């Protein structure tokens, strides 16, 4: 099983892990499922057995051809270069054991779409821990706040390097993300501005970290302790800051 490093190819070979992912997804007939990076089809072959409408996106032409030969609907190319809105015109569930180098940009492209029902991804454990971290946790940062604004992330289980061939250097984890229908009412660029500004100076107090955007009295009026550190503010507190900078 040759693996192309540049495409982040670590193929899942542990069938117990494959089964746990399929059970977590539990596809049903008539659902549209989009699999990103199917590789040799470790997950794909199981997904097809549920009678769902399965479409896959694979960058490696040789792997794509092998899947096409099995009558799988393959889009050959880089997922980051596809117009995903055109591929997901109806309710779509997204699944993938992702190449880790593209996972963060891909997640934010998927968050921007309207029709995603849910997402199940194998990612680096470290990224899953950041996506799911709560305020005050050492993994809590910009990625946690921006992802939790977009979706409800849930860490399902960890996967050891020995489950893959070749084995990656890091521990992996499977995450479920359900897009929020109750997104806080704030303009995304304003939230991004506040959160990025705060976390570029995460060791300072929020009073100092946000001094270019909000003064101390405004923070107090928003019911935020100006002596807190950026990694202890909740999403809701960042939303309040973002709404205030939008008003000024
Ligand atoms: N799903 C398979 C499995 O579990 O064994 C393969 C997982 S492997 C970690 C990642 C897969 O994504 C590879 O098949 C790789 O060729 C593909 N891939 C890498 N970069 C991609 C991209 N930008 N767009 C689409 N597929 C990509």
């Amino acid at each position: 099983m040759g693996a192309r490093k540049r495409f982040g190819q670590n193929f899942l070979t542990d069938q117990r892990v494959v089964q746990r992912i399929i059970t977590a997804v539990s596809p049903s007939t008539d659902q549209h499922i989009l699999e990103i990076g199917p590789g040799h089809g470790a997950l794909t072959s199981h997904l097809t057995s549920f009678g769902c409408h399965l479409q896959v996106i694979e960058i490696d032409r040789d792997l794509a051809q092998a899947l096409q030969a099995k009558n799988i609907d393959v889009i050959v190319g880089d997922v980051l270069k596809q117009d995903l809105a055109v591929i997901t015109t109806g309710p779509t569930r997204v699944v993938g054991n992702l190449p880790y180098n593209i996972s963060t940009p891909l997640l934010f492209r998927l968050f921007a779409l309207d029709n995603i029902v849910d997402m199940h991804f194998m990612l680096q454990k470290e990224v899953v821990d950041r996506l799911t971290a709560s305020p005050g946790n050492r993994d809590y940062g910009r990625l946690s706040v921006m992802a939790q604004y977009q979706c409800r992330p849930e860490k399902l289980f960890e996967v050891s390097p020995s489950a893959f061939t070749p084995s990656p250097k890091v521990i992996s984890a499977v995450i479920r993300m359900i897009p929020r229908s109750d997104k806080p009412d704030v303009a995304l660029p304003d939230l991004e501005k506040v959160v990025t500004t705060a976390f570029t100076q995460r060791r300072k107090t929020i009073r100092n970290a946000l001094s270019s955007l909000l003064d101390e009295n405004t923070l107090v009026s928003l019911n935020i302790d100006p002596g807190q550190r950026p990694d202890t503010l909740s999403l809701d507190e960042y939303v309040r800051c973002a709404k205030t900078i939008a008003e000024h």
Side-chain angles (χ1 to χ4, degrees), residues 53 79 161 222 226:
H53 302 286
V79 64
L222 294 174

Side-chain angles (χ1 to χ4, degrees), residues 170-185:
V170 294
I171 298 174
S172 304
V174 176
I175 186 170
R176 172 184 292 141
M177 286 175 286
I178 303 182
R180 292 179 63 163
S181 53
D182 60 342
K183 271 188 204 159
D185 178 23

Side-chain angles (χ1 to χ4, degrees), residues 3 66 75 79 82 88 92 97 118 154 178 198 202 205:
I75 298 168
V79 64
Q82 307 300 314
T88 58
T92 305
N97 168 10
D118 59 15
E154 181 191 351
I178 303 182
R202 64 183 292 148
T205 59

Side-chain angles (χ1 to χ4, degrees), residues 90-242:
T92 305
R93 305 186 68 196
V94 189
V95 177
N97 168 10
L98 296 185
Y100 297 151
N101 56 335
I102 65 161
S103 55
T104 314
L106 177 62
L107 291 185
F108 284 91
R109 270 160 212 252
L110 292 167
F111 291 152
L113 302 173
D114 291 328
N115 292 317
I116 306 300
V117 176
D118 59 15
M119 297 169 260
H120 289 80
F121 290 129
M122 173 94 73
L123 299 171
Q124 255 171 281
K125 169 189 172 315
E126 181 216 315
V127 175
V128 169
D129 287 342
R130 285 164 57 205
L131 288 164
T132 54
S134 309
N137 183 293
R138 74 187 159 89
D139 296 315
Y140 186 71
R142 181 175 176 272
L143 183 64
S144 327
V145 182
M146 297 315 298
Q148 291 169 26
Y149 160 77
Q150 300 279 3
C151 73
R152 303 225 175 263
E154 181 191 351
K155 179 176 178 176
L156 299 182
F157 53 89
E158 294 184 3
V159 181
S160 89
S162 63
F164 304 87
T165 307
S167 297
K169 291 199 173 67
V170 294
I171 298 174
S172 304
V174 176
I175 186 170
R176 172 184 292 141
M177 286 175 286
I178 303 182
R180 292 179 63 163
S181 53
D182 60 342
K183 271 188 204 159
D185 178 23
V186 62
L188 187 55
D190 294 329
L191 183 63
E192 253 160 3
K193 189 170 176 182
V194 169
V195 173
T196 305
T197 309
F199 282 104
T200 41
Q201 311 187 66
R202 64 183 292 148
R203 301 204 183 284
K204 292 192 172 176
T205 59
I206 199 72
R207 172 201 295 119
N208 290 333
L210 289 185
S211 61
S212 62
L213 300 175
L214 294 167
D215 61 29
E216 176 160 2
N217 290 339
T218 311
L219 287 172
V220 173
S221 73
L222 294 174
N223 219 0
I224 295 169
D225 173 1
Q228 274 181 263
R229 309 265 165 207
D231 59 5
T232 63
L233 265 72
S234 65
L235 167 63
D236 189 54
E237 288 173 317
Y238 279 115
V239 167
R240 296 208 293 274
C241 293

Side-chain angles (χ1 to χ4, degrees), residues 33-38 44 47 54-58 67 72-76:
I33 299 201
L34 178 64
E35 187 191 351
I36 297 166
T44 325
L47 293 170
L54 180 71
Q55 214 171 13
V56 306
I57 306 179
E58 173 57 61
L67 293 164
I72 289 164
D73 182 358
V74 187
I75 298 168
V76 188

Side-chain angles (χ1 to χ4, degrees), residues 20-38:
R20 284 185 84 180
I21 297 173
I22 299 298
T23 304
V25 178
S26 283
S28 59
T29 323
D30 296 336
Q31 287 181 333
H32 178 218
I33 299 201
L34 178 64
E35 187 191 351
I36 297 166

